[in-house]
Structures are given as structure tokens and as C-alpha cells.
Amino acid sequence: MANKTENMENNQNNPAEQEEKQCGCACHKSEHSEKSECACHSDGECECKKDISEIEELKAELEKAKAESAKNYDNYLRSVANLDTYRRRVLRDMEEIRKFAIQPFVEELLTSVDNLELAIEHARKNEDFKDMIAGIEMVLGQIKKVFNNFGIEEIRPLGEDFDPNFHECVAHSPSSDYPENKVSSIMRTGYKLNGRLIRPASVVVSSGADKE
């Protein structure tokens, strides 16, 4: 009886047996695992090396996923910005097309308008052409009304400062009516389409009063 009691006490005091009994690690419970995969402690806590390795792998995968997520979000922001830029450019181009699509047509029509104005100017020299002048002026007025509806403006800078951006100087001439560098005569009317120059006005620029 004494020997049996002594054996029981020895078993209870055996640290290895106590550790293995207290350890509930899955590695120890598995038939195909090795104890070297565990770091078991005498207090019953067990650090499974296999579990630790898996956790480290999961952490690495999580960090990788976070990096990919940040990269994808950055790409998303760039795509949104590029799309907005493209949208604004398309709208701007469409507006440009809307405003200036008729420019080639207007440029072709201006020659006819010039001829009508010349016809009126020459017809005024003859009293017999009064009725014809009235008819031509009516047609010319209708054309210019259409011009105005589509944003076409005349450039008639008589008496204004010469502006090379909108005026084409064909000659300089002394003038007692207009100071130097003022437009003293218009040889051909200029035109703008929605603020854009389509033809400069051909003008004579005053060189000041004639010096004797």
C-alpha cells in the first residue's frame, strides 16, 4: 500500500507528466503532430509554434491586403480626377464647337456682304438709284440681323485708337479731324464671332495734322 501511495506521489510531482497532462494544445492531441511544434509551460499555458506561424502569415497577408487596398484607392481617386478633367474638356470643346462651328460659313458670306455695301456706296452717287438702294439696304439689314443673332459683331473703329489685334493698317495719312494713331478711315469692315476675330478691319491711321 505504501509503495502504491509513493508511486502516486511521484507521478504527481513529475513535471513532464504534469506539463503534458495540463497542456491542452491541439498539437498534442493530434496523432500526426510533433511535440517540438509546441512550447508548453509548467503553468499549463501552451504556445503552439504552428499557430504562431499561421498568425504571422495572416498578419503578413493582412498588411499586403492593406497596401493593395491603399493602392487601389489611390488609383480610384486618380481615375475620378482624370474622368472629371476629361468631362470638363469635352464640355469645353463642345461649347467651342457650338460657338464657332459657323465660322467657315460666315467667312464665305462676308465677301457678299462687302459687295452689297460697295453697291450701296456707289449707288448713292446717282439719284436714280434710290429705290435700288432701299432694297439693297433692306437685304443687308436682314443679313446683319442674323449675324447679330449668332454673335457676329462688326468692327468699325472710326475715331478709335489703332489696335493691331483687331485692325489692319493699310495706310497712314495726315488728318485734321483725327489725332495721331487714331483710325481716320475704314476701308473694309472687320468682324468678330463670339469675341473671336474672324477678319480684322482694314483702316487708314491718322499721322496727325499735316505739318506745313
Side-chain angles (χ1 to χ4, degrees):
M1 180 65 73
N3 291 334
K4 185 175 181 180
T5 302
E6 184 178 353
N7 290 334
M8 291 178 64
E9 291 177 353
N10 289 336
N11 288 337
Q12 291 176 355
N13 296 328
N14 189 319
E17 293 181 359
Q18 182 70 15
E19 179 182 346
E20 187 168 346
K21 287 179 180 179
Q22 292 176 348
C23 178
C25 176
C27 294
H28 282 185
K29 293 178 180 180
S30 174
E31 296 179 357
H32 304 289
S33 63
E34 297 180 2
K35 290 185 179 182
S36 60
E37 293 180 341
C38 285
C40 299
H41 305 290
S42 59
D43 58 1
E45 296 293 330
C46 177
E47 294 181 6
C48 181
K49 295 180 181 178
K50 185 176 181 181
D51 290 344
I52 293 173
S53 176
E54 290 179 352
I55 291 173
E56 293 300 324
E57 289 180 2
L58 289 174
K59 286 182 177 179
E61 290 180 3
L62 179 60
E63 292 301 321
K64 182 179 178 181
K66 286 182 178 180
E68 290 181 355
S69 176
K71 182 179 178 181
N72 291 335
Y73 183 67
D74 182 66
N75 289 337
Y76 162 75
L77 293 179
R78 291 176 183 271
S79 298
V80 170
N82 290 337
L83 181 61
D84 185 62
T85 301
Y86 174 75
R87 180 185 61 80
R88 285 187 279 109
R89 185 171 65 249
V90 169
L91 291 176
R92 185 174 63 250
D93 291 345
M94 291 177 62
E95 180 65 13
E96 288 284 310
I97 292 172
R98 185 191 68 78
K99 291 171 65 176
F100 303 112
I102 64 171
Q103 180 170 339
F105 169 74
V106 174
E107 290 173 346
E108 292 290 333
L109 188 59
L110 290 182
T111 301
S112 299
V113 173
D114 292 340
N115 290 334
L116 288 175
E117 290 180 338
L118 286 173
I120 293 172
E121 183 179 345
H122 288 292
R124 282 174 178 165
K125 297 176 182 179
N126 193 320
E127 293 292 330
D128 297 334
F129 295 151
K130 286 184 179 180
D131 292 338
M132 184 183 69
I133 292 173
I136 296 175
E137 286 179 337
M138 183 179 67
V139 173
L140 188 59
Q142 290 173 342
I143 294 174
K144 291 187 176 182
K145 183 178 180 181
V146 173
F147 277 8
N148 184 65
N149 292 339
F150 284 88
I152 302 167
E153 305 172 60
E154 290 186 338
I155 303 176
R156 287 183 171 273
L158 184 64
E160 298 178 5
D161 290 334
F162 173 72
D163 184 351
N165 295 312
F166 297 100
H167 311 153
E168 179 184 30
C169 178
V170 296
H172 282 83
S173 177
S175 173
S176 57
D177 297 324
Y178 298 98
E180 185 178 0
N181 206 44
K182 295 288 185 179
V183 175
S184 59
S185 178
I186 300 173
M187 306 303 294
R188 189 179 67 171
T189 304
Y191 290 91
K192 293 187 291 185
L193 173 60
N194 291 315
R196 176 191 287 181
L197 180 68
I198 57 177
R199 191 179 79 180
S202 297
V203 300
V204 176
V205 180
S206 171
S207 57
D210 191 10
K211 297 178 182 179
E212 297 181 359

